Amino acid sequence: MSITTIQDILPLIEQPSRYLGSEINTVKKDISRVKLGFALVFPDLYEIGTSHFGIQILYNILNSHPEIAAERVFAPALDMEAYLRSSGTPIASLESKKPLDQFDIIGFSLLYELNFTNILTVLELANIPFFSRQRNNSYPLIIAGGPCTCNPEPMADFFDAMVVGDGENVIMEMSQTWLEWQSSGTGDKEALLKRWSKIEGVYIPEFFTPKFDRHGFQTLVPKFQDYHTVKRAIVDDLDAALFPRAPVVPYGKPVHDRLRLEVSRGCTRGCRFCQAGMIYRPVRERSPETLLSLSDFSVASTGYEDISLLSLSTGDYSCLIPLMENLTSRYASQRIAVSFPSLRADTLSPELMNLVKKVRKTGFTLAPEAGSQRLRDVINKNITEKDIIETVKDAFHLGWQVVKLYFMIGLPTETDDDLQAIVDLVKKLKNNCLPNRRKAKINVSVATFIPKSHTPFQWSSQMALAESKQKINLLKKQLKIPGVQFKWQNPEVSFIEGIWARGDRRLGRLLLAAYKKGCKFDGWTDHFKYRLWEEAFSEEGIDIDFFITRVRRATEPLPWDHIDTMVSKDFLINEWDNATNGEHTADCRNGDCNHCGVCDFEVVQPKVFVDHKDRVPKNIPADRNTDIFYKKFKVSFSKLDQAKYFGHLELVKIITRAIRRARIPVKFSEGFHPKPLISFEDPLPIGLESRNEKFCVSVNGNIQPQTIIEGLNRHFPKGLRIINCQLAPTKSSRNTFSPSTYLVTKKNGFFNEEDVASFVKKSEFIVTRINRKGKTRQLDLKEMVIKITMASPNRLKMTLRSEPGKTVRPFEVLEHIFELSTEEIKQAAIVKI
């Protein structure tokens, strides 16, 4: 088997569209003509990484500069990784397929501690040394950003620089500084790092030397006297910050497959367990005018059918009701739903819920966090049981089928009574709120509390693994009741996350040891191997109790003391004391200042917009005219080249969104989940090309065929093209299923002419099929193969029968008649003509 490029690998793997890099709204520059090549790496699968909007923001900002080309890289799935390794093919970017080690700067997103081993996978596949001290000027600069950099120490030895805080301004300052350094021609890496260290929010790990005392506490000795702390970078005016109006629309099934609008950043509710609520202060909102402008442009440029309003606490957005009224009204005719990731029970009014459900009922999620009021007071989750019950009752009353509830176990001061309170609350919700509907249910998710840096609970112990398992098993047993589904996060995963969350530089060697043992994709249940982590702990002499289960003293040095998130340690200590006493701290958004230390009240301060109807543009009347006349068209299209890697459901979504972007008004189904009325003939499996596929679509009667052809061809990705459009025949005049003819070209070698002759002579050719359930069925290929001939030594032409419930694909013919291997079949070019 000959593999020399990533393109050679694509036919051999699952979900190859992950690696195409031709999605709608990608930016492709001639990378040889720009001065700075910047690779943005997300160390997880494409479906996860493309769901993270931070990488979209940075991609948009960097590519707005004419001298910079930003391209994306995601951790390859295991099958792709295996082929990259076995063939010696380096990992490359999606857009230009440029090997990763040929970029100037590589920036990793550190969102989740369980992704850390994947960073080493990416570096190794790029032939880049892991540790910064091993890399000379011939290698790219390796930097990182994201919430995990608030405690950068566990990963500090791997990176040349780490960004703490908001990245929008910092990333351009670092890039501009690099361009100036590069043009100077000095090539002195330390000189560049010194210049980077002057940028607010940039941490240079090699400028700090770790020291450990006899108790095992880490302190850092700065290399330069004027660089001893790193202050978090803050975008003080979110409304003026750059935001992608035409975000990349991923292929496949991204976790968050919708248009995302960040309505605000920061939260001052003050939940004491929540790191994001501390490190993203203060609250900064986008104006409703800006959000409506962004939504109009982004809906038109993406074709999304869902809009999600993002924030740590979207329900607190000051202009939420008028914004929702406008969004739901202006997009009602397009059947675009508006949703939130989650909401607080005390912010979700029936008025707001009615607005959300106007187009389509999206997911409904609440996070009580604790079952008892006492423990909710400890964590400063200022909602009552009455708030929770009334909100859940309203949700079911308004037609939602499923309500999701999130809880944590192991919170500071938790008792057995608090654990039982989770059970009692769920049962109360089930008995008082759950309607008598077959599909209605309550989903309960439970995770072990993980203390995080820069929070009031950073000094707390994390619950021991055995106790965590015991409590989850108890809840699982008691919540095994009709109408309730119980899910939980593996306590072993939480345990590993907890070690990294508050670790120091000694964990760098632990990561390398675990990676060498085979740890990767640790955040995925089917790949997580706790036993290997245990072996790495033992071999590297890592004291688990030191990092996890002990209560830390407020006076002891912490590994992240040099990181200034601008929330003062005095405030965190005071909040730790308030938690112990069960005292409430009010939200400072609209009240008195709590003196957390973040705001200077000149540049950095809460920025909210007054909830006033006049500041939101008037609603655009919803066009829901039911008297519109519709015509049904049959559309023919080709699916060639890279488009052969689109699965059928993926193709349906690509075409549906192209129709939206082309602004072709289509007819929708009725009911709770309206969808465009589009139907496809005999969908092709992944790997097959076709010169003439068909679908039918019902559109506004004023639309002409040429409008459909030209509109879709403008908005299709590479490989798809409309070739004809005409009125669909009536049911009585539709043709019966006709045979399909294929051209099959073998990549290497030739077909055996004797195999063709032998098959033609046979009176029957029985093969056995095994379905997904393991049941077998016999099929006579002589009935299904109408004609098969040799077009050339390496090319076949075959005509196959195609009937409802009785279809054969070229793959089966190649396997059984020519006895080709799976890899030979996948590498063959098969075109339906």
Side-chain angles (χ1 to χ4, degrees), residues 320-393:
L320 186 58
I321 294 293
L323 176 65
M324 283 292 299
E325 286 176 342
N326 199 298
L327 287 173
T328 55
S329 177
R330 68 171 58 198
Y331 299 130
S333 64
Q334 300 176 55
R335 311 305 197 273
I336 293 175
V338 184
S339 64
F340 318 106
S342 65
L343 289 164
R344 289 176 59 96
D346 58 342
T347 63
L348 199 52
S349 65
E351 179 186 12
L352 180 57
M353 294 165 77
N354 266 312
L355 285 170
V356 177
K357 75 183 250 325
K358 273 188 176 180
V359 177
R360 180 162 68 252
K361 293 180 179 65
T362 52
F364 192 93
T365 303
L366 291 175
E369 313 293 1
S372 71
Q373 191 60 51
R374 185 200 73 81
L375 196 52
R376 285 195 292 274
D377 290 343
V378 167
I379 65 176
N380 209 44
K381 187 78 177 185
N382 298 309
I383 57 173
T384 66
E385 184 174 287
K386 182 182 177 183
D387 293 330
I388 298 167
I389 291 173
E390 289 182 352
T391 302
V392 172
K393 190 179 291 185

Side-chain angles (χ1 to χ4, degrees), residues 112-117 120 148 150-156 158 275 450-453 462 493-515 522 533 536-537 542 547-548 552 559-560:
Y112 182 36
E113 293 84 351
L114 274 295
N115 283 341
F116 288 172
T117 49
L120 302 191
C148 290
C150 283
N151 176 21
E153 291 310 289
M155 297 298 291
F158 299 98
Q275 185 184 61
I450 302 167
K452 298 275 184 163
S453 62
Q462 183 170 331
V493 171
S494 302
F495 201 70
I496 299 298
E497 183 180 342
I499 291 170
W500 287 102
R502 295 186 296 167
D504 56 34
R505 287 206 194 183
R506 287 173 289 190
L507 295 191
R509 68 176 191 264
L510 170 67
L511 186 72
L512 184 57
Y515 174 71
D522 299 292
W533 281 101
F537 296 149
I542 301 297
F547 292 108
I548 283 278
R552 304 185 184 209
W560 52 89

Side-chain angles (χ1 to χ4, degrees), residues 311-322:
S311 165
L312 290 173
S313 183
T314 304
D316 288 325
Y317 178 66
S318 57
C319 297
L320 186 58
I321 294 293

Side-chain angles (χ1 to χ4, degrees), residues 219-397:
T219 53
L220 293 175
V221 179
K223 187 174 181 178
F224 304 103
Q225 289 187 349
D226 62 343
Y227 184 59
H228 51 83
T229 58
V230 178
K231 188 176 181 181
R232 171 172 66 102
I234 293 180
V235 171
D236 59 272
D237 186 355
L238 194 67
D239 204 43
L242 284 175
F243 192 81
R245 301 201 302 167
V248 175
V249 183
Y251 293 140
K253 294 182 179 180
V255 173
H256 300 298
D257 194 15
R258 57 187 69 92
L259 176 64
R260 286 152 291 171
L261 295 176
E262 185 187 31
V263 299
S264 66
R265 190 175 300 176
C267 176
T268 46
R269 286 281 185 165
C271 297
R272 293 169 180 138
F273 61 85
C274 181
Q275 185 184 61
M278 297 293 162
I279 66 173
Y280 290 119
R281 292 179 174 218
V283 172
R284 292 147 290 160
E285 293 185 346
R286 279 193 169 88
S287 69
E289 296 94 335
T290 297
L291 291 169
L292 290 170
S293 173
L294 283 171
S295 69
D296 283 345
F297 196 98
S298 298
V299 164
S301 67
T302 62
Y304 278 123
E305 54 283 315
D306 292 279
I307 298 173
S308 181
L309 303 182
L310 296 186
S311 165
L312 290 173
S313 183
T314 304
D316 288 325
Y317 178 66
S318 57
C319 297
L320 186 58
I321 294 293
L323 176 65
M324 283 292 299
E325 286 176 342
N326 199 298
L327 287 173
T328 55
S329 177
R330 68 171 58 198
Y331 299 130
S333 64
Q334 300 176 55
R335 311 305 197 273
I336 293 175
V338 184
S339 64
F340 318 106
S342 65
L343 289 164
R344 289 176 59 96
D346 58 342
T347 63
L348 199 52
S349 65
E351 179 186 12
L352 180 57
M353 294 165 77
N354 266 312
L355 285 170
V356 177
K357 75 183 250 325
K358 273 188 176 180
V359 177
R360 180 162 68 252
K361 293 180 179 65
T362 52
F364 192 93
T365 303
L366 291 175
E369 313 293 1
S372 71
Q373 191 60 51
R374 185 200 73 81
L375 196 52
R376 285 195 292 274
D377 290 343
V378 167
I379 65 176
N380 209 44
K381 187 78 177 185
N382 298 309
I383 57 173
T384 66
E385 184 174 287
K386 182 182 177 183
D387 293 330
I388 298 167
I389 291 173
E390 289 182 352
T391 302
V392 172
K393 190 179 291 185
D394 285 339
F396 282 124
H397 176 71

Side-chain angles (χ1 to χ4, degrees), residues 20 23 64-65 115 157 185 218 244 285 317 324 372 387 453 536 557 594 616 619 659 748 750 812 821 831:
L20 295 178
E23 307 98 315
S64 67
H65 194 294
N115 283 341
D157 287 337
Q218 173 186 298
E285 293 185 346
Y317 178 66
M324 283 292 299
S372 71
D387 293 330
S453 62
N594 290 320
V616 181
N619 291 347
I659 289 171
N748 300 305
F750 307 107
E812 292 177 283
S821 68
V831 183

